[in-house]
Every structure is written in C-alpha cells, then in structure tokens.
Amino acid sequence: MGKYGIFYRWLLPAIIFQSVFMGGGFTTGREVMEYAGKYGVYGIYSVILATILFFISAALSYEVARVFKAFDYRTWVKQIIWKFWPIFDIAYVILAIIVIAVVGSAAANILEDMFGLPYMLGAIVIISTVGILHFYGRKAIEAFETIGTVILYIMYIILWAVTLKAAWGNISEAFSAGLGTGGPGKAAISGIQYFAYNMVVVPAVLFTLDRLESRKDSIIAGLNSALFVGIAFFLTWLSLLGFYTNEKVVNAPVPWYEIMKIVGATWLRGFYVIAVFWTLIETGTGMIHSIVRRIEVQMEEMKGISFTRKQEALLATLIIVLAILMAKFGIIALVAKGYGTLAWVFFVILFIPLVTIGVIRILNPNWMKEFWEKA
C-alpha cells in the first residue's frame, strides 16, 4: 500500500479534471452543441475521438508531472517545449479567461431570464467565493471541487434521465433517418478541436499530482479523467440529438435551459442554476489556482518570496473580474471563435510535443538532461 490512498492517487486528479472541464461552455450545453451536437448522428465520431485523446494526453501529462516533479504548469510545460514555454503561458492565460467568461455569460443569461436580476449580482457572488477559496488554500479548493463534482453529477443524472426519457423517440428517429450534417470527417475534426482546447484543463490538475507514486497511478488517473468527461460528453450529445431539428435549442446560448422548458422540467431549473454557479466557481478556482501558482513559482525563483494569502486572493479576484467583463461578448461567439482558434494553437504547441518528446523523456528521463535543464 502506498503513502496515499486510491482516492488521492486515482480519483482526485480525475475529479479536478472533470470539475474544470465541465465548466466553460459544457454546463450550458453550448460547447457540446458546437463541437458535436450540430453534426447530428455524426457527432458520435467527435465524442469517441475526443475521449481517446483525453486519455492519451492526461496519462502522459500526469506521468511527465510525476517523473519530473513538475507540479506547477511552467515547470511542467518546460519538460515538453523547453524555452518555448512563454507561448503556452500566453495561450493558457487567454483561454483560461475565456473559459471563465463563458460560464459568467451563462450565469448572467439564466439569472436575467429566471429572476430578472442584474448581471453584476451574480458576478459579485462568484468573485467573492473564488477570492475566499484562494485565501483558505489547497484543502479548501480540493474540498469545494469534490463536493461540487457530487452536486454536478446528481444534477446531470437527473437532467440526462428526464431529457433522454422525453426525447428518446426523437433520438431513435434521428438514428433511423441518419439525421446529420458534415459527415464523419468534419465531426472527427471537431472532436480534435474540442479535445485540443480542453488540454488547458491539465495544468489545473497539476497541484494534486505530487501524490502519484508510480506509472500505474498516472495511467489509471488518466483513464478515470477521460472516462469522467467522456461519459458526460456522450450523454449530453445524445440528449441534444433529441432536439436536432429544433432551431430554438440549436441556436440557444444555453441549450440546456431551453430543453428544460420543452420537456417540462422547469422544476429542475433551481438545481441547474446552483450547479452552473458552482461550476463557474470550480472552473475559475481551478484555472486561477494554476495561474497563481505559476506566478508564485516565478517570484520564488527571482526574488525568493511567496504570496501571502491576501495577495493570492487579490490576484485571483483581479483575474476573474477581467473574465466577467469579457463575458459580455456572449457565449456563442466565445465558444465558436475563441475556443476554436486556440484549439489548434494547443494542438501544435502542446499535444504534438507531448506524444513525441514527452514519451521519449518519460521512457528515458536522462535523455539530453543538460539541454532540458537550461529551459
């Protein structure tokens, strides 16, 4: 038996991975609609390919972190792209802010539709909570995201069950009629895009990986990460397929919200609102924690100082304020243009080096050791 139990080695990385992944446009349904749902039955190719790629990248990323003790994202990314790490730095921070902005926009849409509440009210709650979590540190973040995963999955299980039951006839007809556009090729490319920009989730998991004790731990934690998000991706795509011919759902900023109205699940809206806000806080906290930790490592190297809790909370608050201001651009534009463009950036600067250089370095950690130490 290792020093840490199965929960910390095999499940916690997957929980944090899933928590951050299911933020952004996923909880709204907009993200899945854009990269799988709009292709109809062909969306299954996007789901399958993305899930396989999630497993490969998560397992390799976790093992790179374990072997080289790279538990902040600058140290980690240096192991695969050497002195070119500032490119990743810039792309990561931009995407992190866009991801938080997407859910901020969703929350604002829902609050306005349900309660007629002002946009900034929800923003203030989110900003305050993220700041408080960073003030209390790692244990508070891990506990919040673990509880959030339970809440989110309970909500989703109910939502999937209600939706699939109501729309099963439409889903069967869609398969029988082969309803879809773009074909397998375009859907598969979208699956690659969907996976590529979601590689940004990995750095948010790094702070939990100091508990991994073997390559087996990295592989199992990576597999669990892929399964957690792959199953959610599949069930959401299948649910959206039931409304493939409904333009109101297809074009909605928050498709899930429209679906709840159609299937008569308005009673679930309160639970959904709680889950959306919790997800935004989870996503913001996970991604901002990785940025804060990255800056702190730089400060330690340059000046030998670390953030106080108040400074960390202030930096986290400033980042999320910027994201919430960006949310005014709207979900559809942020998901389609922001995510889509950055996807190929991450595929080139991160995934390709990971499956080439990363594999070589995992198998032979001493390969060109002096060269890599100069990064």
Side-chain angles (χ1 to χ4, degrees):
M1 176 67 74
K3 181 181 178 182
Y4 297 102
I6 286 175
F7 174 79
Y8 287 104
R9 291 181 289 128
W10 296 356
L11 294 177
L12 185 61
I15 287 170
I16 302 297
F17 189 97
Q18 173 269 333
S19 296
V20 180
F21 169 87
M22 289 180 76
F26 187 91
T27 305
T28 68
R30 186 67 242 166
E31 189 175 293
V32 178
M33 180 65 79
E34 189 67 35
Y35 293 96
K38 72 180 183 182
Y39 297 106
V41 296
Y42 300 119
I44 191 62
Y45 293 96
S46 174
V47 174
I48 292 171
L49 187 55
T51 303
I52 292 169
L53 292 173
F54 279 132
F55 167 58
I56 293 169
S57 67
L60 290 176
S61 297
Y62 296 174
E63 183 64 357
V64 166
R66 185 190 72 83
V67 170
F68 298 102
K69 301 189 184 306
F71 306 122
D72 71 276
Y73 81 75
R74 191 191 67 154
T75 305
W76 173 74
V77 80
K78 275 184 174 183
Q79 309 308 317
I80 21 182
I81 60 174
W82 196 55
K83 288 188 177 182
F84 299 105
W85 59 265
I87 300 172
F88 175 82
D89 236 359
I90 295 166
Y92 177 73
V93 172
I94 292 171
L95 187 56
I97 291 170
I98 292 174
V99 166
I100 299 164
V102 165
V103 189
S105 183
N109 276 313
I110 293 168
L111 279 180
E112 186 178 357
D113 185 80
M114 279 187 73
F115 308 112
L117 294 175
Y119 177 86
M120 285 309 297
L121 182 64
I124 289 167
V125 173
I126 293 156
I127 290 166
S128 302
T129 309
V130 171
I132 289 167
L133 284 170
H134 278 83
F135 178 79
Y136 284 102
R138 172 176 175 164
K139 287 186 178 180
I141 292 170
E142 290 180 349
F144 186 88
E145 300 212 355
T146 301
I147 293 167
T149 294
V150 175
I151 291 174
L152 195 63
Y153 259 94
I154 291 172
M155 187 279 293
Y156 262 116
I157 287 168
I158 296 170
L159 187 55
W160 286 324
V162 170
T163 304
L164 291 172
K165 182 180 178 181
W168 194 254
N170 292 342
I171 293 168
S172 299
E173 287 179 14
F175 279 112
S176 298
L179 287 181
T181 57
K186 285 189 177 180
I189 290 171
S190 271
I192 295 171
Q193 275 188 292
Y194 185 63
F195 149 76
Y197 74 75
N198 273 300
M199 283 191 77
V200 77
V201 172
V202 171
V205 183
L206 294 173
F207 77 102
T208 70
L209 302 181
D210 55 348
R211 296 162 173 140
L212 300 183
E213 297 169 3
S214 66
R215 187 164 296 168
K216 177 182 176 181
D217 287 347
S218 298
I219 293 171
I220 294 176
L223 177 61
N224 286 336
S225 298
L227 289 175
F228 277 26
V229 300
I231 291 169
F233 188 17
F234 170 74
L235 291 173
T236 301
W237 161 74
L238 196 61
S239 298
L240 293 175
L241 185 61
F243 302 90
Y244 183 67
T245 57
N246 188 317
E247 289 189 9
K248 198 169 184 181
V249 172
V250 172
N251 298 321
V254 187
W256 271 126
Y257 197 61
E258 294 300 322
I259 287 172
M260 281 188 280
K261 293 178 183 177
I262 294 169
V263 301
T266 51
W267 53 271
L268 188 56
R269 289 190 301 175
F271 196 2
Y272 179 75
V273 169
I274 293 170
V276 166
F277 272 88
W278 200 297
T279 301
L280 174 55
I281 294 165
E282 281 188 331
T283 301
T285 301
M287 302 194 84
I288 290 170
H289 183 78
S290 65
I291 294 171
V292 170
R293 179 61 187 143
R294 152 73 184 86
I295 295 170
E296 188 173 40
V297 168
Q298 184 83 35
M299 288 176 61
E300 287 171 353
E301 287 182 2
M302 293 176 66
K303 299 182 179 180
I305 57 175
S306 299
F307 283 128
T308 64
R309 285 187 172 183
K310 287 183 180 178
Q311 288 171 332
E312 185 172 326
L314 178 61
L315 180 58
T317 301
L318 289 173
I319 294 170
I320 202 163
V321 166
L322 179 60
I324 286 172
L325 290 174
M326 187 181 286
K328 290 182 179 286
F329 286 109
I331 298 173
I332 295 175
L334 288 168
V335 169
K337 296 179 181 178
Y339 286 1
T341 302
L342 285 170
W344 297 119
V345 174
F346 282 106
F347 190 80
V348 171
I349 69 169
L350 196 57
F351 181 68
I352 292 175
L354 180 64
V355 296
T356 52
I357 294 167
V359 171
I360 294 170
R361 298 206 69 209
I362 287 169
L363 297 176
N364 184 7
N366 291 318
W367 175 65
M368 298 177 66
K369 189 174 181 179
E370 292 183 2
F371 173 83
W372 290 101
E373 286 175 349
K374 293 176 182 176

